[in-house]
Amino acid sequence: MSERWARLALQTYRWAGMAAYPFMGVYVGMRATRGKEQHDRRGERYGRPSEKRPDGPLVWVHAVSVGETGAVSGLIGRLRERGVPVVLTTGTVTSAALARERFGDEVIHQYVPLDLKPAVSRFLNYWRPDLAVFAESEIWPMTILELGARRIPQVLINGRMSDRSFRRWKSRLALAESLFENLSHVAAQTERDGERFRALGARPVTVSGNLKADVPVPPVDPGVFAQMRARIQNRPVWLAVSTHDGEELAAARVHVMLKKRWPGLLTVIVPRHPTRADELAAAIGEMGLTVVRRTHDKFPTDAADIFLGDTIGEMGLYLRMGKIAFVGRSLTAEGGQNPLEPAMLGCAVLAGPNLSNFEEVYGRFQEARAARVVDDELMLAKAVNFLLANEAMCDAMAAAGQGVVADMEGALERTWQTLNPYIQPLVVKASLSPSGRTGEEGDADRMPVANGGARFGW
């Protein structure tokens, strides 16, 4: 694809988005009926603010979901310690709940605007960020171009590029270069990720490591944990966490396979999206298993086969319930989920074969014999059975996993050093800024857009 065609493709994307914009209410409304949007905050998806803009400098941090929100928490904490206000955008209801729980009123949370020019322009006109920081693999063409047109520095941190994404961008190299040249800096997770971003036109690119290795150990309420341990007592327990569609029922079938061999076996299932809990409880119940839910029953009963962890922000509790954790989105879904939190809390890690998003991390785990990859639910059942029967092996895997996490630490400091040239002027500006003034939506929406797209001849 030539540079000319790349510009035409981006222009077509821009105008197609503007044409689709009036009809997006149906799409957002349908997501809201399925619990994927908050009814009373749908306007944020169109760039309409629900909070006042603080006076002075502002950093926009975007983290699409729960994992990315946790990964940027340390960075956000450092910004707030230095008096720099933050508006955090996420794309899911679960990540919004986590942001509220973790940051409270210290951080302004908004849902990320749709990647359509009217929504992005309204968002940027109102919030006027001095710096935009995106986590992992968030590449939204209109957002990137609008930030570039306004000369707002934009940095991709904890950057990763999957095999599939790299192939797709590589086949449209001119288009990729037209977008990635707008990035002020890319802090990649691994050398391979860094090389891929460089091949697609990003400059400069450095390697910072994985921010998720620097997140605090997931917390737990000591009183709640004590009650949980009293209920579980000496029952054999294993966990299936961050599961996606199909993996919950696979875990339930594993429970059926092992139930007779391990009397009193408790299987803890923590779906990635707790909004699916009703349908999961019904489907597992139809298998003749007794399902107890955290939201309904609080603690597992003696008769419970499956304990369904259908709450947000309690992963620290669930991961302390057992020593064996299957990490989802790897058996019936693709990409994998991060194994670092289970490893931090002393779990032996199991995962399916579809780990393209975390190949480097799982490679380290397998090299250290801290994780095992299973091809199907039968192999999963055998692996769980083996670890239940061999406590010493289970403990050795858990210790090896904690060692891998310790070796990966330091990404937060390296990322902070990457961002420091952009942040330090904002720290000074924040210290000089008067308090109490806020932006008004009406005035902000009438602000002119600087160099509105001239870079691509629009």
Side-chain angles (χ1 to χ4, degrees), residues 258-327:
L258 300 179
K259 187 176 179 179
K260 289 184 179 179
R261 185 177 182 86
W262 295 97
L265 178 66
L266 179 65
T267 297
V268 181
I269 299 177
V270 186
R272 179 70 170 175
H273 302 291
T275 51
R276 300 172 51 235
D278 287 343
E279 63 181 88
L280 291 176
I284 296 172
E286 290 176 358
M287 298 171 62
L289 298 175
T290 301
V291 181
V292 171
R293 296 170 58 174
R294 173 68 175 150
T295 54
H296 292 184
D297 308 286
K298 302 302 181 185
F299 302 100
T301 62
D302 292 341
D305 293 298
I306 307 294
F307 184 64
L308 192 58
D310 55 350
T311 56
I312 298 169
E314 289 195 302
M315 189 61 79
L317 173 64
Y318 301 132
L319 289 174
R320 287 175 170 87
M321 293 176 67
K323 293 184 177 182
I324 305 165
F326 166 78
V327 182

Side-chain angles (χ1 to χ4, degrees), residues 51-288:
E51 301 283 348
K52 291 182 179 180
R53 187 199 188 280
D55 184 59
L58 182 70
V59 174
W60 172 22
V61 179
H62 175 59
V64 63
S65 192
V66 170
E68 293 81 5
T69 302
V72 300
S73 61
L75 173 64
I76 291 175
R78 291 195 178 193
L79 286 167
R80 294 303 299 127
E81 287 172 2
R82 288 157 177 80
V84 179
V86 173
V87 57
L88 169 67
T89 59
T90 64
T92 66
V93 174
T94 51
S95 56
L98 177 62
R100 181 174 60 253
E101 176 190 331
R102 186 157 296 184
F103 305 117
D105 296 333
E106 282 292 302
V107 170
I108 301 167
H109 176 268
Q110 300 283 278
Y111 282 104
V112 66
L114 298 166
D115 195 48
L116 306 174
K117 180 170 173 55
V120 175
S121 293
R122 184 180 290 115
F123 179 91
L124 294 178
N125 287 347
Y126 180 82
W127 293 106
R128 306 186 307 281
D130 297 88
L131 170 67
V133 180
F134 303 128
E136 298 209 4
S137 56
E138 288 298 281
I139 307 298
W140 293 103
M142 190 51 54
T143 300
I144 289 175
L145 296 178
E146 287 297 298
L147 285 165
R150 290 164 168 79
R151 304 297 189 264
I152 297 172
Q154 44 189 317
V155 180
L156 182 68
I157 63 170
N158 218 39
R160 61 180 174 86
M161 179 71 64
S162 68
D163 295 342
R164 180 179 179 183
S165 294
F166 182 63
R167 287 194 300 269
R168 185 173 68 245
W169 286 116
K170 191 70 173 176
S171 66
R172 302 168 178 84
L173 186 57
L175 178 61
E177 290 174 341
S178 295
L179 290 173
F180 285 92
E181 69 178 5
N182 287 275
L183 299 177
S184 303
H185 200 116
V186 174
Q189 289 188 20
T190 67
E191 290 290 350
R192 185 181 68 171
D193 291 317
E195 287 302 318
R196 288 178 171 181
F197 280 110
R198 293 186 191 99
L200 298 175
R203 297 290 189 280
V205 178
T206 55
V207 177
S208 62
N210 194 330
L211 280 173
K212 292 176 180 176
D214 281 345
V215 301
V217 174
V220 67
D221 182 305
V224 173
F225 180 60
Q227 293 182 70
M228 184 67 75
R229 290 306 310 167
R231 294 294 183 92
I232 295 175
Q233 295 184 354
N234 295 319
R235 295 178 66 177
V237 181
W238 75 284
L239 305 92
V241 300
S242 299
T243 52
H244 286 244
D245 188 26
E247 292 173 332
E248 296 88 3
L249 296 186
R253 287 190 289 268
V254 167
H255 181 93
V256 172
M257 292 183 222
L258 300 179
K259 187 176 179 179
K260 289 184 179 179
R261 185 177 182 86
W262 295 97
L265 178 66
L266 179 65
T267 297
V268 181
I269 299 177
V270 186
R272 179 70 170 175
H273 302 291
T275 51
R276 300 172 51 235
D278 287 343
E279 63 181 88
L280 291 176
I284 296 172
E286 290 176 358
M287 298 171 62

Side-chain angles (χ1 to χ4, degrees), residues 47-50 122 125-126 439-447:
R48 299 189 182 98
S50 62
R122 184 180 290 115
N125 287 347
Y126 180 82
E440 296 295 334
E441 180 181 4
D443 292 338
D445 279 345
R446 288 193 290 271
M447 290 177 59

